[in-house]
Amino acid sequence: MQIHDLPYPDPGVPDARSGPRFLWWLFRNQLGGQLRSLAWGLVHFVSVSALPFCVGLAVQAVIDRSGSRLALAGGLLALACAGNAIGDTFLHRTAITNWITAAARVQQLLARKASSLGSGLTRRVSAGEVVAVSTGDIEKIGWFVEAVSRFTAAALTIVIVCVGLVVYQPALGVVVAVGLPVLAVAVLPLLPRATRRADFQREKAGRATELASDTVAGLRVLRGIGGEELFLDRYRSASQEVRHAAVRSARMWSLISAIQVLLPGLLLIAVVWHGVGLAREGRITIGELVATYSSVMILTYPLRHFEEIAMAYSFSRPSARRAARVLSLERATSEEGSLAGDAPSGDLYDPATGVLAPSGRLTAVVCGDPDAAGQLAERLGGHPAEEGTSVLLGGVPLDELPLSVARTAVLVQDKDPVLLSGTLRELLEVPASGDIDPREALTAAQCDDVLAALVQGSLGAEDPMDARITERGRSLSGGQRQRLALARSLFTDPEVLVLDEPTSAVDSHTEARIAEGVRNLRSGRTTVVFTSSPLLLDRADRVVLVHEGEVVAVGVHRELVHKEPRYRAVVTRETPSTDDDALTGVLEEIEETA
């Protein structure tokens, strides 16, 4: 797999049982790239390590006044330099390819998992953790996967050089062959502490990211209540904790780096001291001493990769653990389903609660518990939070349909819809039936003032469709974001549309016009609205009251508000002692806005 071939047609099924297993799965799934990187790494490191032997041969040739051996040494030196340059170039190329392809695979897996779980993802893991995994953690995971092949090439090179030194000059080669493994494992006792400090730093950084994300998302509300300074102080405190943790982690890695500089220096001193004694005794030549001395100096370069792989693993392990935790999440129902074919049509029925939405009609569902209403809305869309009896569409269980087919048949807009940054035209570039014009949907959702605000805030945008929407629509009010999201859902024109509190942030007059617009635009289509607004309920063909997980009353709004005390308590938000006054107020409000 090359970079230009990304994204993967199929990223595969990850082994998400643990962080190390996930890293090993990534490594195995790009074995070809790892072998290429290993091969070029061997060319590079062996060429670098061959330079001291060439230099030693040249020095000895000069001492012996041998022109032929000097020419041979020059030729070998040129060959080693060429191998060094070529190997380094292609090692870098293959290593970066491994890094990017591993990161791209993880990112693709995370995107598919988020698409599969939908809004249920952030109910099971925090939004800050998802952001941390999909940004910084991906980079660290790619770093470790890429570093493995370079580390393997460096380790094999050290073995080759040690064997070569023992054969070339046994008296000094044995010293080097014994000393280098000691250098390689000398820092192992420090790695657990360094890993713990790195984990602690990542944990603190993840918490700070979550706090920052929550603060930015709620900045408008925080300013309204004067609480931005409080949250800024909290973030300052969290960032200071991250800084202290990073300093403690850096100190440990600095100690490891210092040891890996100090010990090779001591080995070099030992080799020189012993080699000078052997040279004075005439047991080795000057060229052999120079070659051995230079080899020890050069070998400090591949030895640095032992520190790098330890650091890469320490930083990638918690990242891989977080990624595996997200990727191990599963839907309550299968994505493939057991049925094939087109999306069914007909009545939407939930056997668990008894909620029935007749085909082609506007059904309002009243539920006193907002969380229960949100879960029921997800069930009706084929996204249950837990296993149970499947919702039926035209008698066909949604759980047995492929996820893509179920989502085509039923669209759920939750109470906190997300607007992606871009133009309004791009916002409406969603799969749609083609029967609804974008401007019809915008008009039905009462977006005229929203369009004016977008045009005013976008320089040079004469057409409202070219007006830009900021990230998550934060430049708009809650009601404006809600209406744009409603227009997007209406434009999609699904067979069944489920709306969870679509007008909770708009005023009553706008809400009444939206209710009429939705009713007219969705005529002949099945629409389910979860709401407690009398203005929406009065326009519904059918109203269903759900209490403690089951349907307890069905009718129209004006009948239920008179006959059903539980319905009246939810809709009027009044205590039983004031029911009559509240009923009068509700009826007066409906008549004024009708």
PDB file of all heavy atoms in Angstrom, residues 175-198:
ATOM      1  N   VAL A 175      35.658  -7.290  23.408  1.00  0.00           N
ATOM      2  CA  VAL A 175      35.303  -6.198  24.325  1.00  0.00           C
ATOM      3  C   VAL A 175      34.064  -5.457  23.828  1.00  0.00           C
ATOM      4  O   VAL A 175      33.133  -5.167  24.586  1.00  0.00           O
ATOM      5  CB  VAL A 175      36.488  -5.225  24.480  1.00  0.00           C
ATOM      6  CG1 VAL A 175      36.089  -4.043  25.355  1.00  0.00           C
ATOM      7  CG2 VAL A 175      37.689  -5.946  25.064  1.00  0.00           C
ATOM      8  N   VAL A 176      34.062  -5.163  22.520  1.00  0.00           N
ATOM      9  CA  VAL A 176      32.919  -4.450  21.946  1.00  0.00           C
ATOM     10  C   VAL A 176      31.670  -5.327  21.976  1.00  0.00           C
ATOM     11  O   VAL A 176      30.569  -4.860  22.309  1.00  0.00           O
ATOM     12  CB  VAL A 176      33.239  -4.008  20.506  1.00  0.00           C
ATOM     13  CG1 VAL A 176      32.026  -3.337  19.867  1.00  0.00           C
ATOM     14  CG2 VAL A 176      34.429  -3.071  20.498  1.00  0.00           C
ATOM     15  N   ALA A 177      31.803  -6.620  21.622  1.00  0.00           N
ATOM     16  CA  ALA A 177      30.651  -7.520  21.570  1.00  0.00           C
ATOM     17  C   ALA A 177      30.023  -7.717  22.947  1.00  0.00           C
ATOM     18  O   ALA A 177      28.819  -7.932  23.069  1.00  0.00           O
ATOM     19  CB  ALA A 177      31.079  -8.874  20.994  1.00  0.00           C
ATOM     20  N   VAL A 178      30.845  -7.643  23.999  1.00  0.00           N
ATOM     21  CA  VAL A 178      30.304  -7.758  25.355  1.00  0.00           C
ATOM     22  C   VAL A 178      29.726  -6.425  25.827  1.00  0.00           C
ATOM     23  O   VAL A 178      28.686  -6.376  26.490  1.00  0.00           O
ATOM     24  CB  VAL A 178      31.396  -8.254  26.323  1.00  0.00           C
ATOM     25  CG1 VAL A 178      30.908  -8.191  27.766  1.00  0.00           C
ATOM     26  CG2 VAL A 178      31.816  -9.675  25.959  1.00  0.00           C
ATOM     27  N   GLY A 179      30.393  -5.336  25.474  1.00  0.00           N
ATOM     28  CA  GLY A 179      29.967  -4.029  25.983  1.00  0.00           C
ATOM     29  C   GLY A 179      28.700  -3.495  25.341  1.00  0.00           C
ATOM     30  O   GLY A 179      27.867  -2.869  26.016  1.00  0.00           O
ATOM     31  N   LEU A 180      28.503  -3.719  24.027  1.00  0.00           N
ATOM     32  CA  LEU A 180      27.333  -3.147  23.345  1.00  0.00           C
ATOM     33  C   LEU A 180      26.001  -3.681  23.871  1.00  0.00           C
ATOM     34  O   LEU A 180      25.069  -2.900  24.090  1.00  0.00           O
ATOM     35  CB  LEU A 180      27.450  -3.381  21.843  1.00  0.00           C
ATOM     36  CG  LEU A 180      28.406  -2.440  21.107  1.00  0.00           C
ATOM     37  CD1 LEU A 180      28.501  -2.805  19.642  1.00  0.00           C
ATOM     38  CD2 LEU A 180      27.943  -0.989  21.248  1.00  0.00           C
ATOM     39  N   PRO A 181      25.845  -4.999  24.094  1.00  0.00           N
ATOM     40  CA  PRO A 181      24.575  -5.454  24.685  1.00  0.00           C
ATOM     41  C   PRO A 181      24.304  -4.841  26.057  1.00  0.00           C
ATOM     42  O   PRO A 181      23.156  -4.575  26.408  1.00  0.00           O
ATOM     43  CB  PRO A 181      24.754  -6.978  24.783  1.00  0.00           C
ATOM     44  CG  PRO A 181      25.752  -7.303  23.727  1.00  0.00           C
ATOM     45  CD  PRO A 181      26.692  -6.141  23.704  1.00  0.00           C
ATOM     46  N   VAL A 182      25.385  -4.642  26.824  1.00  0.00           N
ATOM     47  CA  VAL A 182      25.201  -3.989  28.126  1.00  0.00           C
ATOM     48  C   VAL A 182      24.658  -2.581  27.944  1.00  0.00           C
ATOM     49  O   VAL A 182      23.761  -2.126  28.663  1.00  0.00           O
ATOM     50  CB  VAL A 182      26.526  -3.975  28.904  1.00  0.00           C
ATOM     51  CG1 VAL A 182      26.373  -3.176  30.198  1.00  0.00           C
ATOM     52  CG2 VAL A 182      26.974  -5.400  29.207  1.00  0.00           C
ATOM     53  N   LEU A 183      25.210  -1.865  26.958  1.00  0.00           N
ATOM     54  CA  LEU A 183      24.718  -0.513  26.682  1.00  0.00           C
ATOM     55  C   LEU A 183      23.255  -0.531  26.256  1.00  0.00           C
ATOM     56  O   LEU A 183      22.471   0.345  26.634  1.00  0.00           O
ATOM     57  CB  LEU A 183      25.552   0.136  25.567  1.00  0.00           C
ATOM     58  CG  LEU A 183      27.037   0.351  25.846  1.00  0.00           C
ATOM     59  CD1 LEU A 183      27.671   1.080  24.675  1.00  0.00           C
ATOM     60  CD2 LEU A 183      27.239   1.141  27.120  1.00  0.00           C
ATOM     61  N   ALA A 184      22.879  -1.542  25.439  1.00  0.00           N
ATOM     62  CA  ALA A 184      21.523  -1.595  24.912  1.00  0.00           C
ATOM     63  C   ALA A 184      20.489  -1.817  26.007  1.00  0.00           C
ATOM     64  O   ALA A 184      19.381  -1.286  25.941  1.00  0.00           O
ATOM     65  CB  ALA A 184      21.421  -2.696  23.855  1.00  0.00           C
ATOM     66  N   VAL A 185      20.848  -2.612  27.043  1.00  0.00           N
ATOM     67  CA  VAL A 185      19.862  -2.948  28.086  1.00  0.00           C
ATOM     68  C   VAL A 185      20.066  -2.123  29.348  1.00  0.00           C
ATOM     69  O   VAL A 185      19.321  -2.306  30.317  1.00  0.00           O
ATOM     70  CB  VAL A 185      19.938  -4.454  28.433  1.00  0.00           C
ATOM     71  CG1 VAL A 185      19.686  -5.296  27.202  1.00  0.00           C
ATOM     72  CG2 VAL A 185      21.287  -4.809  29.058  1.00  0.00           C
ATOM     73  N   ALA A 186      21.025  -1.219  29.358  1.00  0.00           N
ATOM     74  CA  ALA A 186      21.333  -0.481  30.589  1.00  0.00           C
ATOM     75  C   ALA A 186      20.170   0.390  31.044  1.00  0.00           C
ATOM     76  O   ALA A 186      19.997   0.624  32.250  1.00  0.00           O
ATOM     77  CB  ALA A 186      22.582   0.376  30.383  1.00  0.00           C
ATOM     78  N   VAL A 187      19.385   0.890  30.095  1.00  0.00           N
ATOM     79  CA  VAL A 187      18.307   1.811  30.474  1.00  0.00           C
ATOM     80  C   VAL A 187      17.000   1.082  30.757  1.00  0.00           C
ATOM     81  O   VAL A 187      16.008   1.723  31.123  1.00  0.00           O
ATOM     82  CB  VAL A 187      18.078   2.850  29.360  1.00  0.00           C
ATOM     83  CG1 VAL A 187      19.304   3.709  29.176  1.00  0.00           C
ATOM     84  CG2 VAL A 187      17.683   2.187  28.053  1.00  0.00           C
ATOM     85  N   LEU A 188      16.968  -0.235  30.594  1.00  0.00           N
ATOM     86  CA  LEU A 188      15.711  -0.968  30.795  1.00  0.00           C
ATOM     87  C   LEU A 188      15.112  -0.756  32.189  1.00  0.00           C
ATOM     88  O   LEU A 188      13.895  -0.622  32.312  1.00  0.00           O
ATOM     89  CB  LEU A 188      15.932  -2.463  30.533  1.00  0.00           C
ATOM     90  CG  LEU A 188      16.126  -2.860  29.062  1.00  0.00           C
ATOM     91  CD1 LEU A 188      16.306  -4.372  28.945  1.00  0.00           C
ATOM     92  CD2 LEU A 188      14.944  -2.406  28.218  1.00  0.00           C
ATOM     93  N   PRO A 189      15.913  -0.735  33.272  1.00  0.00           N
ATOM     94  CA  PRO A 189      15.293  -0.513  34.594  1.00  0.00           C
ATOM     95  C   PRO A 189      14.590   0.839  34.717  1.00  0.00           C
ATOM     96  O   PRO A 189      13.704   0.996  35.569  1.00  0.00           O
ATOM     97  CB  PRO A 189      16.499  -0.604  35.556  1.00  0.00           C
ATOM     98  CG  PRO A 189      17.509  -1.425  34.831  1.00  0.00           C
ATOM     99  CD  PRO A 189      17.353  -1.052  33.396  1.00  0.00           C
ATOM    100  N   LEU A 190      14.979   1.822  33.893  1.00  0.00           N
ATOM    101  CA  LEU A 190      14.355   3.142  33.988  1.00  0.00           C
ATOM    102  C   LEU A 190      13.087   3.261  33.153  1.00  0.00           C
ATOM    103  O   LEU A 190      12.304   4.189  33.352  1.00  0.00           O
ATOM    104  CB  LEU A 190      15.345   4.217  33.530  1.00  0.00           C
ATOM    105  CG  LEU A 190      16.637   4.343  34.338  1.00  0.00           C
ATOM    106  CD1 LEU A 190      17.536   5.401  33.709  1.00  0.00           C
ATOM    107  CD2 LEU A 190      16.338   4.699  35.785  1.00  0.00           C
ATOM    108  N   LEU A 191      12.885   2.337  32.210  1.00  0.00           N
ATOM    109  CA  LEU A 191      11.759   2.466  31.288  1.00  0.00           C
ATOM    110  C   LEU A 191      10.391   2.366  31.970  1.00  0.00           C
ATOM    111  O   LEU A 191       9.473   3.113  31.612  1.00  0.00           O
ATOM    112  CB  LEU A 191      11.867   1.418  30.185  1.00  0.00           C
ATOM    113  CG  LEU A 191      13.000   1.651  29.182  1.00  0.00           C
ATOM    114  CD1 LEU A 191      12.997   0.558  28.121  1.00  0.00           C
ATOM    115  CD2 LEU A 191      12.852   3.014  28.523  1.00  0.00           C
ATOM    116  N   PRO A 192      10.169   1.460  32.965  1.00  0.00           N
ATOM    117  CA  PRO A 192       8.840   1.436  33.599  1.00  0.00           C
ATOM    118  C   PRO A 192       8.468   2.773  34.232  1.00  0.00           C
ATOM    119  O   PRO A 192       7.324   3.231  34.092  1.00  0.00           O
ATOM    120  CB  PRO A 192       8.977   0.325  34.649  1.00  0.00           C
ATOM    121  CG  PRO A 192      10.042  -0.571  34.110  1.00  0.00           C
ATOM    122  CD  PRO A 192      11.010   0.339  33.434  1.00  0.00           C
ATOM    123  N   ARG A 193       9.430   3.402  34.926  1.00  0.00           N
ATOM    124  CA  ARG A 193       9.128   4.703  35.535  1.00  0.00           C
ATOM    125  C   ARG A 193       8.865   5.754  34.460  1.00  0.00           C
ATOM    126  O   ARG A 193       7.950   6.561  34.583  1.00  0.00           O
ATOM    127  CB  ARG A 193      10.278   5.135  36.434  1.00  0.00           C
ATOM    128  CG  ARG A 193      10.034   6.471  37.123  1.00  0.00           C
ATOM    129  CD  ARG A 193      11.174   6.857  38.044  1.00  0.00           C
ATOM    130  NE  ARG A 193      11.299   5.895  39.129  1.00  0.00           N
ATOM    131  CZ  ARG A 193      12.224   6.001  40.092  1.00  0.00           C
ATOM    132  NH1 ARG A 193      13.085   7.017  40.072  1.00  0.00           N
ATOM    133  NH2 ARG A 193      12.275   5.111  41.053  1.00  0.00           N
ATOM    134  N   ALA A 194       9.678   5.734  33.392  1.00  0.00           N
ATOM    135  CA  ALA A 194       9.463   6.693  32.308  1.00  0.00           C
ATOM    136  C   ALA A 194       8.098   6.480  31.654  1.00  0.00           C
ATOM    137  O   ALA A 194       7.406   7.442  31.300  1.00  0.00           O
ATOM    138  CB  ALA A 194      10.566   6.562  31.272  1.00  0.00           C
ATOM    139  N   THR A 195       7.709   5.217  31.509  1.00  0.00           N
ATOM    140  CA  THR A 195       6.408   4.908  30.910  1.00  0.00           C
ATOM    141  C   THR A 195       5.273   5.396  31.787  1.00  0.00           C
ATOM    142  O   THR A 195       4.289   5.960  31.298  1.00  0.00           O
ATOM    143  CB  THR A 195       6.287   3.397  30.673  1.00  0.00           C
ATOM    144  OG1 THR A 195       7.342   2.970  29.809  1.00  0.00           O
ATOM    145  CG2 THR A 195       4.958   3.050  30.044  1.00  0.00           C
ATOM    146  N   ARG A 196       5.389   5.184  33.101  1.00  0.00           N
ATOM    147  CA  ARG A 196       4.336   5.650  34.014  1.00  0.00           C
ATOM    148  C   ARG A 196       4.201   7.170  33.963  1.00  0.00           C
ATOM    149  O   ARG A 196       3.081   7.708  33.970  1.00  0.00           O
ATOM    150  CB  ARG A 196       4.642   5.189  35.445  1.00  0.00           C
ATOM    151  CG  ARG A 196       4.429   3.706  35.678  1.00  0.00           C
ATOM    152  CD  ARG A 196       4.409   3.384  37.160  1.00  0.00           C
ATOM    153  NE  ARG A 196       5.662   3.727  37.813  1.00  0.00           N
ATOM    154  CZ  ARG A 196       6.688   2.889  37.927  1.00  0.00           C
ATOM    155  NH1 ARG A 196       6.599   1.662  37.418  1.00  0.00           N
ATOM    156  NH2 ARG A 196       7.790   3.241  38.548  1.00  0.00           N
ATOM    157  N   ARG A 197       5.330   7.858  33.912  1.00  0.00           N
ATOM    158  CA  ARG A 197       5.264   9.315  33.843  1.00  0.00           C
ATOM    159  C   ARG A 197       4.664   9.781  32.517  1.00  0.00           C
ATOM    160  O   ARG A 197       3.915  10.764  32.478  1.00  0.00           O
ATOM    161  CB  ARG A 197       6.661   9.909  34.033  1.00  0.00           C
ATOM    162  CG  ARG A 197       7.202   9.722  35.441  1.00  0.00           C
ATOM    163  CD  ARG A 197       8.483  10.519  35.657  1.00  0.00           C
ATOM    164  NE  ARG A 197       8.994  10.349  37.015  1.00  0.00           N
ATOM    165  CZ  ARG A 197      10.040  10.995  37.514  1.00  0.00           C
ATOM    166  NH1 ARG A 197      10.703  11.855  36.741  1.00  0.00           N
ATOM    167  NH2 ARG A 197      10.441  10.791  38.753  1.00  0.00           N
ATOM    168  N   ALA A 198       4.997   9.077  31.431  1.00  0.00           N
ATOM    169  CA  ALA A 198       4.412   9.432  30.143  1.00  0.00           C
ATOM    170  C   ALA A 198       2.906   9.181  30.148  1.00  0.00           C
ATOM    171  O   ALA A 198       2.123   9.985  29.619  1.00  0.00           O
ATOM    172  CB  ALA A 198       5.080   8.630  29.029  1.00  0.00           C
TER     173      ALA A 198
END
